[in-house]
PDB file of all heavy atoms in Angstrom:
ATOM      1  N   VAL A  47      11.180 -33.330  10.960  1.00 78.00           N
ATOM      2  CA  VAL A  47      10.664 -32.225  11.615  1.00 78.00           C
ATOM      3  C   VAL A  47       9.969 -31.122  10.643  1.00 78.00           C
ATOM      4  O   VAL A  47       8.819 -30.842  10.809  1.00 78.00           O
ATOM      5  CB  VAL A  47      11.722 -31.432  12.486  1.00 78.00           C
ATOM      6  CG1 VAL A  47      11.170 -30.165  13.060  1.00 78.00           C
ATOM      7  CG2 VAL A  47      12.260 -32.395  13.626  1.00 78.00           C
ATOM      8  N   PHE A  48      10.582 -31.000   9.482  1.00 74.00           N
ATOM      9  CA  PHE A  48      10.116 -30.022   8.663  1.00 74.00           C
ATOM     10  C   PHE A  48       8.842 -30.601   8.040  1.00 74.00           C
ATOM     11  O   PHE A  48       7.882 -29.841   7.793  1.00 74.00           O
ATOM     12  CB  PHE A  48      11.127 -29.896   7.420  1.00 74.00           C
ATOM     13  CG  PHE A  48      12.105 -28.824   7.839  1.00 74.00           C
ATOM     14  CD1 PHE A  48      12.227 -28.184   9.107  1.00 74.00           C
ATOM     15  CD2 PHE A  48      13.119 -28.550   6.800  1.00 74.00           C
ATOM     16  CE1 PHE A  48      13.315 -27.387   9.286  1.00 74.00           C
ATOM     17  CE2 PHE A  48      14.253 -27.559   7.032  1.00 74.00           C
ATOM     18  CZ  PHE A  48      14.296 -26.996   8.428  1.00 74.00           C
ATOM     19  N   MET A  49       8.725 -31.903   7.786  1.00 71.00           N
ATOM     20  CA  MET A  49       7.453 -32.386   7.114  1.00 71.00           C
ATOM     21  C   MET A  49       6.347 -32.251   8.064  1.00 71.00           C
ATOM     22  O   MET A  49       5.328 -31.906   7.643  1.00 71.00           O
ATOM     23  CB  MET A  49       7.648 -33.894   6.795  1.00 71.00           C
ATOM     24  CG  MET A  49       8.494 -34.026   5.347  1.00 71.00           C
ATOM     25  SD  MET A  49       8.433 -35.692   4.661  1.00 71.00           S
ATOM     26  CE  MET A  49       9.499 -36.605   5.839  1.00 71.00           C
ATOM     27  N   PHE A  50       6.511 -32.647   9.400  1.00 68.00           N
ATOM     28  CA  PHE A  50       5.263 -32.533  10.188  1.00 68.00           C
ATOM     29  C   PHE A  50       5.006 -31.218  10.615  1.00 68.00           C
ATOM     30  O   PHE A  50       3.847 -30.766  10.989  1.00 68.00           O
ATOM     31  CB  PHE A  50       5.192 -33.520  11.380  1.00 68.00           C
ATOM     32  CG  PHE A  50       6.295 -33.585  12.228  1.00 68.00           C
ATOM     33  CD1 PHE A  50       6.622 -32.441  13.011  1.00 68.00           C
ATOM     34  CD2 PHE A  50       7.109 -34.692  12.438  1.00 68.00           C
ATOM     35  CE1 PHE A  50       7.648 -32.353  14.078  1.00 68.00           C
ATOM     36  CE2 PHE A  50       8.073 -34.710  13.520  1.00 68.00           C
ATOM     37  CZ  PHE A  50       8.386 -33.644  14.277  1.00 68.00           C
ATOM     38  N   ILE A  51       5.961 -30.246  10.590  1.00 71.00           N
ATOM     39  CA  ILE A  51       5.677 -28.838  10.748  1.00 71.00           C
ATOM     40  C   ILE A  51       4.743 -28.353   9.603  1.00 71.00           C
ATOM     41  O   ILE A  51       3.827 -27.577   9.863  1.00 71.00           O
ATOM     42  CB  ILE A  51       6.925 -27.984  10.928  1.00 71.00           C
ATOM     43  CG1 ILE A  51       7.546 -28.162  12.198  1.00 71.00           C
ATOM     44  CG2 ILE A  51       6.594 -26.489  10.668  1.00 71.00           C
ATOM     45  CD1 ILE A  51       8.876 -27.419  12.522  1.00 71.00           C
ATOM     46  N   CYS A  52       5.152 -28.814   8.413  1.00 65.00           N
ATOM     47  CA  CYS A  52       4.289 -28.352   7.207  1.00 65.00           C
ATOM     48  C   CYS A  52       2.903 -29.007   7.260  1.00 65.00           C
ATOM     49  O   CYS A  52       1.864 -28.440   6.880  1.00 65.00           O
ATOM     50  CB  CYS A  52       5.006 -28.750   5.883  1.00 65.00           C
ATOM     51  SG  CYS A  52       6.458 -27.677   5.620  1.00 65.00           S
ATOM     52  N   ALA A  53       2.872 -30.290   7.847  1.00 63.00           N
ATOM     53  CA  ALA A  53       1.471 -30.769   7.940  1.00 63.00           C
ATOM     54  C   ALA A  53       0.687 -30.251   8.969  1.00 63.00           C
ATOM     55  O   ALA A  53      -0.515 -30.091   8.815  1.00 63.00           O
ATOM     56  CB  ALA A  53       1.741 -32.317   8.394  1.00 63.00           C
ATOM     57  N   GLY A  54       1.342 -29.700  10.139  1.00 67.00           N
ATOM     58  CA  GLY A  54       0.644 -29.023  11.211  1.00 67.00           C
ATOM     59  C   GLY A  54       0.416 -27.572  11.032  1.00 67.00           C
ATOM     60  O   GLY A  54      -0.482 -27.083  11.965  1.00 67.00           O
ATOM     61  N   MET A  55       0.979 -26.902  10.160  1.00 72.00           N
ATOM     62  CA  MET A  55       0.746 -25.442  10.161  1.00 72.00           C
ATOM     63  C   MET A  55       0.302 -25.021   8.692  1.00 72.00           C
ATOM     64  O   MET A  55       1.014 -25.450   7.790  1.00 72.00           O
ATOM     65  CB  MET A  55       2.142 -24.736  10.342  1.00 72.00           C
ATOM     66  CG  MET A  55       2.578 -24.846  11.805  1.00 72.00           C
ATOM     67  SD  MET A  55       4.273 -24.197  12.075  1.00 72.00           S
ATOM     68  CE  MET A  55       3.917 -22.499  11.558  1.00 72.00           C
ATOM     69  N   GLY A  56      -0.835 -24.324   8.762  1.00 68.00           N
ATOM     70  CA  GLY A  56      -1.289 -24.004   7.441  1.00 68.00           C
ATOM     71  C   GLY A  56      -0.581 -22.744   6.919  1.00 68.00           C
ATOM     72  O   GLY A  56       0.234 -22.153   7.631  1.00 68.00           O
ATOM     73  N   SER A  57      -0.716 -22.575   5.584  1.00 74.00           N
ATOM     74  CA  SER A  57      -0.044 -21.473   4.954  1.00 74.00           C
ATOM     75  C   SER A  57      -0.489 -20.134   5.440  1.00 74.00           C
ATOM     76  O   SER A  57       0.244 -19.062   5.277  1.00 74.00           O
ATOM     77  CB  SER A  57      -0.298 -21.518   3.334  1.00 74.00           C
ATOM     78  OG  SER A  57      -1.562 -21.698   3.102  1.00 74.00           O
ATOM     79  N   SER A  58      -1.629 -20.054   6.142  1.00 80.00           N
ATOM     80  CA  SER A  58      -2.065 -18.787   6.626  1.00 80.00           C
ATOM     81  C   SER A  58      -1.146 -18.371   7.794  1.00 80.00           C
ATOM     82  O   SER A  58      -1.355 -17.140   8.291  1.00 80.00           O
ATOM     83  CB  SER A  58      -3.486 -18.836   7.242  1.00 80.00           C
ATOM     84  OG  SER A  58      -3.572 -19.931   8.228  1.00 80.00           O
ATOM     85  N   THR A  59      -0.174 -19.127   8.174  1.00 85.00           N
ATOM     86  CA  THR A  59       0.760 -18.864   9.205  1.00 85.00           C
ATOM     87  C   THR A  59       1.425 -17.670   8.728  1.00 85.00           C
ATOM     88  O   THR A  59       2.005 -16.692   9.438  1.00 85.00           O
ATOM     89  CB  THR A  59       1.738 -19.923   9.443  1.00 85.00           C
ATOM     90  OG1 THR A  59       1.027 -21.134   9.886  1.00 85.00           O
ATOM     91  CG2 THR A  59       2.760 -19.674  10.572  1.00 85.00           C
ATOM     92  N   MET A  60       1.874 -17.571   7.361  1.00 88.00           N
ATOM     93  CA  MET A  60       2.588 -16.297   6.813  1.00 88.00           C
ATOM     94  C   MET A  60       1.725 -15.005   7.017  1.00 88.00           C
ATOM     95  O   MET A  60       2.233 -13.962   7.364  1.00 88.00           O
ATOM     96  CB  MET A  60       2.705 -16.702   5.331  1.00 88.00           C
ATOM     97  CG  MET A  60       3.664 -17.807   4.935  1.00 88.00           C
ATOM     98  SD  MET A  60       5.285 -17.686   5.374  1.00 88.00           S
ATOM     99  CE  MET A  60       5.770 -16.362   4.202  1.00 88.00           C
ATOM    100  N   TYR A  61       0.342 -15.153   7.022  1.00 90.00           N
ATOM    101  CA  TYR A  61      -0.557 -14.023   7.321  1.00 90.00           C
ATOM    102  C   TYR A  61      -0.329 -13.690   8.818  1.00 90.00           C
ATOM    103  O   TYR A  61      -0.220 -12.498   9.206  1.00 90.00           O
ATOM    104  CB  TYR A  61      -1.772 -14.236   6.764  1.00 90.00           C
ATOM    105  CG  TYR A  61      -2.841 -13.166   7.273  1.00 90.00           C
ATOM    106  CD1 TYR A  61      -3.004 -12.002   6.497  1.00 90.00           C
ATOM    107  CD2 TYR A  61      -3.728 -13.381   8.370  1.00 90.00           C
ATOM    108  CE1 TYR A  61      -3.893 -10.986   6.806  1.00 90.00           C
ATOM    109  CE2 TYR A  61      -4.649 -12.358   8.659  1.00 90.00           C
ATOM    110  CZ  TYR A  61      -4.660 -11.228   7.933  1.00 90.00           C
ATOM    111  OH  TYR A  61      -5.501 -10.211   8.324  1.00 90.00           O
ATOM    112  N   TRP A  62      -0.692 -14.627   9.661  1.00 92.00           N
ATOM    113  CA  TRP A  62      -0.730 -14.469  11.093  1.00 92.00           C
ATOM    114  C   TRP A  62       0.675 -13.899  11.644  1.00 92.00           C
ATOM    115  O   TRP A  62       0.577 -13.126  12.548  1.00 92.00           O
ATOM    116  CB  TRP A  62      -1.120 -15.632  11.813  1.00 92.00           C
ATOM    117  CG  TRP A  62      -2.547 -16.113  11.503  1.00 92.00           C
ATOM    118  CD1 TRP A  62      -2.825 -17.406  10.841  1.00 92.00           C
ATOM    119  CD2 TRP A  62      -3.863 -15.510  11.653  1.00 92.00           C
ATOM    120  NE1 TRP A  62      -4.154 -17.378  10.856  1.00 92.00           N
ATOM    121  CE2 TRP A  62      -4.867 -16.255  11.316  1.00 92.00           C
ATOM    122  CE3 TRP A  62      -4.196 -14.290  12.159  1.00 92.00           C
ATOM    123  CZ2 TRP A  62      -6.247 -15.958  11.334  1.00 92.00           C
ATOM    124  CZ3 TRP A  62      -5.395 -13.857  12.330  1.00 92.00           C
ATOM    125  CH2 TRP A  62      -6.366 -14.714  11.804  1.00 92.00           C
ATOM    126  N   GLY A  63       1.757 -14.442  11.019  1.00 92.00           N
ATOM    127  CA  GLY A  63       3.076 -14.054  11.375  1.00 92.00           C
ATOM    128  C   GLY A  63       3.249 -12.530  11.336  1.00 92.00           C
ATOM    129  O   GLY A  63       4.158 -11.978  11.976  1.00 92.00           O
ATOM    130  N   VAL A  64       2.480 -11.879  10.433  1.00 93.00           N
ATOM    131  CA  VAL A  64       2.713 -10.390  10.280  1.00 93.00           C
ATOM    132  C   VAL A  64       1.557  -9.644  10.993  1.00 93.00           C
ATOM    133  O   VAL A  64       1.937  -8.609  11.701  1.00 93.00           O
ATOM    134  CB  VAL A  64       2.609 -10.008   8.805  1.00 93.00           C
ATOM    135  CG1 VAL A  64       2.804  -8.487   8.657  1.00 93.00           C
ATOM    136  CG2 VAL A  64       3.810 -10.791   8.061  1.00 93.00           C
ATOM    137  N   MET A  65       0.361 -10.164  11.109  1.00 94.00           N
ATOM    138  CA  MET A  65      -0.784  -9.482  11.510  1.00 94.00           C
ATOM    139  C   MET A  65      -1.419  -9.815  12.846  1.00 94.00           C
ATOM    140  O   MET A  65      -2.245  -8.974  13.314  1.00 94.00           O
ATOM    141  CB  MET A  65      -1.881  -9.515  10.342  1.00 94.00           C
ATOM    142  CG  MET A  65      -1.504  -8.797   9.116  1.00 94.00           C
ATOM    143  SD  MET A  65      -1.184  -7.094   9.267  1.00 94.00           S
ATOM    144  CE  MET A  65      -2.666  -6.434  10.067  1.00 94.00           C
ATOM    145  N   GLU A  66      -1.154 -10.960  13.329  1.00 95.00           N
ATOM    146  CA  GLU A  66      -1.940 -11.414  14.491  1.00 95.00           C
ATOM    147  C   GLU A  66      -1.809 -10.352  15.648  1.00 95.00           C
ATOM    148  O   GLU A  66      -2.929 -10.149  16.417  1.00 95.00           O
ATOM    149  CB  GLU A  66      -1.415 -12.845  14.828  1.00 95.00           C
ATOM    150  CG  GLU A  66      -2.252 -13.347  16.038  1.00 95.00           C
ATOM    151  CD  GLU A  66      -2.065 -14.877  16.333  1.00 95.00           C
ATOM    152  OE1 GLU A  66      -1.629 -15.615  15.229  1.00 95.00           O
ATOM    153  OE2 GLU A  66      -2.327 -15.286  17.370  1.00 95.00           O
ATOM    154  N   TRP A  67      -0.765  -9.759  16.048  1.00 96.00           N
ATOM    155  CA  TRP A  67      -0.578  -8.886  17.059  1.00 96.00           C
ATOM    156  C   TRP A  67      -1.620  -7.778  16.902  1.00 96.00           C
ATOM    157  O   TRP A  67      -2.121  -7.217  17.971  1.00 96.00           O
ATOM    158  CB  TRP A  67       0.898  -8.269  17.016  1.00 96.00           C
ATOM    159  CG  TRP A  67       1.001  -7.272  16.113  1.00 96.00           C
ATOM    160  CD1 TRP A  67       1.600  -7.555  14.853  1.00 96.00           C
ATOM    161  CD2 TRP A  67       0.766  -5.866  16.160  1.00 96.00           C
ATOM    162  NE1 TRP A  67       1.662  -6.241  14.123  1.00 96.00           N
ATOM    163  CE2 TRP A  67       1.181  -5.332  14.887  1.00 96.00           C
ATOM    164  CE3 TRP A  67       0.379  -5.031  17.140  1.00 96.00           C
ATOM    165  CZ2 TRP A  67       1.076  -3.919  14.590  1.00 96.00           C
ATOM    166  CZ3 TRP A  67       0.270  -3.613  16.871  1.00 96.00           C
ATOM    167  CH2 TRP A  67       0.661  -3.080  15.549  1.00 96.00           C
ATOM    168  N   ALA A  68      -2.007  -7.241  15.703  1.00 96.00           N
ATOM    169  CA  ALA A  68      -2.800  -6.079  15.536  1.00 96.00           C
ATOM    170  C   ALA A  68      -4.239  -6.453  15.993  1.00 96.00           C
ATOM    171  O   ALA A  68      -5.021  -5.727  16.430  1.00 96.00           O
ATOM    172  CB  ALA A  68      -2.794  -5.682  13.964  1.00 96.00           C
ATOM    173  N   TYR A  69      -4.805  -7.694  15.707  1.00 95.00           N
ATOM    174  CA  TYR A  69      -5.890  -8.121  16.288  1.00 95.00           C
ATOM    175  C   TYR A  69      -6.037  -8.165  17.797  1.00 95.00           C
ATOM    176  O   TYR A  69      -7.106  -7.542  18.306  1.00 95.00           O
ATOM    177  CB  TYR A  69      -6.335  -9.519  15.792  1.00 95.00           C
ATOM    178  CG  TYR A  69      -6.686  -9.809  14.417  1.00 95.00           C
ATOM    179  CD1 TYR A  69      -5.573 -10.084  13.375  1.00 95.00           C
ATOM    180  CD2 TYR A  69      -7.799  -9.631  13.746  1.00 95.00           C
ATOM    181  CE1 TYR A  69      -5.905 -10.189  12.032  1.00 95.00           C
ATOM    182  CE2 TYR A  69      -8.092  -9.765  12.483  1.00 95.00           C
ATOM    183  CZ  TYR A  69      -7.063 -10.038  11.703  1.00 95.00           C
ATOM    184  OH  TYR A  69      -7.409 -10.302  10.280  1.00 95.00           O
ATOM    185  N   TYR A  70      -4.931  -8.407  18.469  1.00 96.00           N
ATOM    186  CA  TYR A  70      -5.043  -8.492  19.804  1.00 96.00           C
ATOM    187  C   TYR A  70      -4.810  -7.091  20.490  1.00 96.00           C
ATOM    188  O   TYR A  70      -5.199  -6.803  21.513  1.00 96.00           O
ATOM    189  CB  TYR A  70      -3.925  -9.312  20.491  1.00 96.00           C
ATOM    190  CG  TYR A  70      -3.869 -10.905  19.898  1.00 96.00           C
ATOM    191  CD1 TYR A  70      -2.802 -11.652  19.811  1.00 96.00           C
ATOM    192  CD2 TYR A  70      -5.184 -11.276  19.555  1.00 96.00           C
ATOM    193  CE1 TYR A  70      -2.856 -13.011  19.381  1.00 96.00           C
ATOM    194  CE2 TYR A  70      -5.186 -12.641  19.065  1.00 96.00           C
ATOM    195  CZ  TYR A  70      -4.082 -13.443  18.958  1.00 96.00           C
ATOM    196  OH  TYR A  70      -4.190 -14.778  18.622  1.00 96.00           O
ATOM    197  N   TYR A  71      -4.081  -6.254  19.721  1.00 95.00           N
ATOM    198  CA  TYR A  71      -3.941  -4.796  20.167  1.00 95.00           C
ATOM    199  C   TYR A  71      -5.327  -4.180  20.051  1.00 95.00           C
ATOM    200  O   TYR A  71      -5.648  -3.374  20.998  1.00 95.00           O
ATOM    201  CB  TYR A  71      -3.009  -4.000  19.274  1.00 95.00           C
ATOM    202  CG  TYR A  71      -2.816  -2.617  19.633  1.00 95.00           C
ATOM    203  CD1 TYR A  71      -2.046  -2.204  20.669  1.00 95.00           C
ATOM    204  CD2 TYR A  71      -3.324  -1.665  18.728  1.00 95.00           C
ATOM    205  CE1 TYR A  71      -1.897  -0.920  21.057  1.00 95.00           C
ATOM    206  CE2 TYR A  71      -3.173  -0.180  18.989  1.00 95.00           C
ATOM    207  CZ  TYR A  71      -2.453   0.206  20.151  1.00 95.00           C
ATOM    208  OH  TYR A  71      -2.218   1.299  20.413  1.00 95.00           O
ATOM    209  N   ASN A  72      -6.154  -4.330  19.099  1.00 93.00           N
ATOM    210  CA  ASN A  72      -7.583  -3.754  19.022  1.00 93.00           C
ATOM    211  C   ASN A  72      -8.472  -4.381  19.970  1.00 93.00           C
ATOM    212  O   ASN A  72      -9.308  -3.684  20.527  1.00 93.00           O
ATOM    213  CB  ASN A  72      -8.054  -3.943  17.657  1.00 93.00           C
ATOM    214  CG  ASN A  72      -7.342  -3.053  16.545  1.00 93.00           C
ATOM    215  OD1 ASN A  72      -6.878  -1.912  16.858  1.00 93.00           O
ATOM    216  ND2 ASN A  72      -7.284  -3.487  15.335  1.00 93.00           N
ATOM    217  N   SER A  73      -8.290  -5.614  20.338  1.00 92.00           N
ATOM    218  CA  SER A  73      -9.108  -6.432  21.218  1.00 92.00           C
ATOM    219  C   SER A  73      -8.358  -7.214  22.179  1.00 92.00           C
ATOM    220  O   SER A  73      -8.396  -8.550  21.901  1.00 92.00           O
ATOM    221  CB  SER A  73     -10.270  -7.058  20.581  1.00 92.00           C
ATOM    222  OG  SER A  73     -10.994  -6.199  19.667  1.00 92.00           O
ATOM    223  N   PRO A  74      -7.731  -6.711  23.236  1.00 93.00           N
ATOM    224  CA  PRO A  74      -6.893  -7.581  23.934  1.00 93.00           C
ATOM    225  C   PRO A  74      -7.566  -8.569  24.827  1.00 93.00           C
ATOM    226  O   PRO A  74      -8.774  -8.563  25.198  1.00 93.00           O
ATOM    227  CB  PRO A  74      -6.070  -6.571  24.753  1.00 93.00           C
ATOM    228  CG  PRO A  74      -6.492  -5.239  24.332  1.00 93.00           C
ATOM    229  CD  PRO A  74      -7.875  -5.411  23.721  1.00 93.00           C
ATOM    230  N   GLY A  75      -6.675  -9.560  25.259  1.00 91.00           N
ATOM    231  CA  GLY A  75      -7.171 -10.568  26.194  1.00 91.00           C
ATOM    232  C   GLY A  75      -6.872 -10.110  27.714  1.00 91.00           C
ATOM    233  O   GLY A  75      -6.341  -9.033  27.914  1.00 91.00           O
ATOM    234  N   LEU A  76      -7.174 -10.990  28.616  1.00 93.00           N
ATOM    235  CA  LEU A  76      -6.885 -10.696  30.116  1.00 93.00           C
ATOM    236  C   LEU A  76      -7.566  -9.363  30.561  1.00 93.00           C
ATOM    237  O   LEU A  76      -7.046  -8.692  31.540  1.00 93.00           O
ATOM    238  CB  LEU A  76      -5.510 -10.669  30.493  1.00 93.00           C
ATOM    239  CG  LEU A  76      -4.692 -11.903  30.101  1.00 93.00           C
ATOM    240  CD1 LEU A  76      -3.211 -11.878  30.372  1.00 93.00           C
ATOM    241  CD2 LEU A  76      -5.299 -13.206  30.679  1.00 93.00           C
ATOM    242  N   ASN A  77      -8.700  -8.976  29.864  1.00 92.00           N
ATOM    243  CA  ASN A  77      -9.246  -7.671  30.257  1.00 92.00           C
ATOM    244  C   ASN A  77      -8.387  -6.464  30.265  1.00 92.00           C
ATOM    245  O   ASN A  77      -8.626  -5.526  30.888  1.00 92.00           O
ATOM    246  CB  ASN A  77     -10.022  -7.843  31.600  1.00 92.00           C
ATOM    247  CG  ASN A  77     -11.202  -8.780  31.649  1.00 92.00           C
ATOM    248  OD1 ASN A  77     -11.878  -8.943  30.548  1.00 92.00           O
ATOM    249  ND2 ASN A  77     -11.373  -9.496  32.706  1.00 92.00           N
ATOM    250  N   ILE A  78      -7.485  -6.467  29.330  1.00 94.00           N
ATOM    251  CA  ILE A  78      -6.561  -5.236  29.249  1.00 94.00           C
ATOM    252  C   ILE A  78      -7.113  -4.299  28.369  1.00 94.00           C
ATOM    253  O   ILE A  78      -7.779  -4.619  27.315  1.00 94.00           O
ATOM    254  CB  ILE A  78      -5.197  -5.706  28.590  1.00 94.00           C
ATOM    255  CG1 ILE A  78      -4.441  -6.766  29.543  1.00 94.00           C
ATOM    256  CG2 ILE A  78      -4.292  -4.589  28.215  1.00 94.00           C
ATOM    257  CD1 ILE A  78      -3.164  -7.426  28.851  1.00 94.00           C
TER     258      ILE A  78
END
């Protein structure tokens, strides 16, 4: 499981894991 998780997830996951919510807060989906 660990090997194909590493194959399927880029190292940028570390960045998105901290910051992704802020992009959506500034520009939300579902017309919020």
Side-chain angles (χ1 to χ4, degrees):
V47 172
F48 280 2
M49 280 193 287
F50 58 60
I51 284 179
C52 287
M55 292 174 60
S57 51
S58 59
T59 305
M60 298 290 292
Y61 172 83
W62 296 119
V64 179
M65 291 301 303
E66 187 166 330
W67 73 272
Y69 287 91
Y70 303 156
Y71 177 74
N72 287 332
S73 303
L76 301 179
N77 290 327
I78 296 171

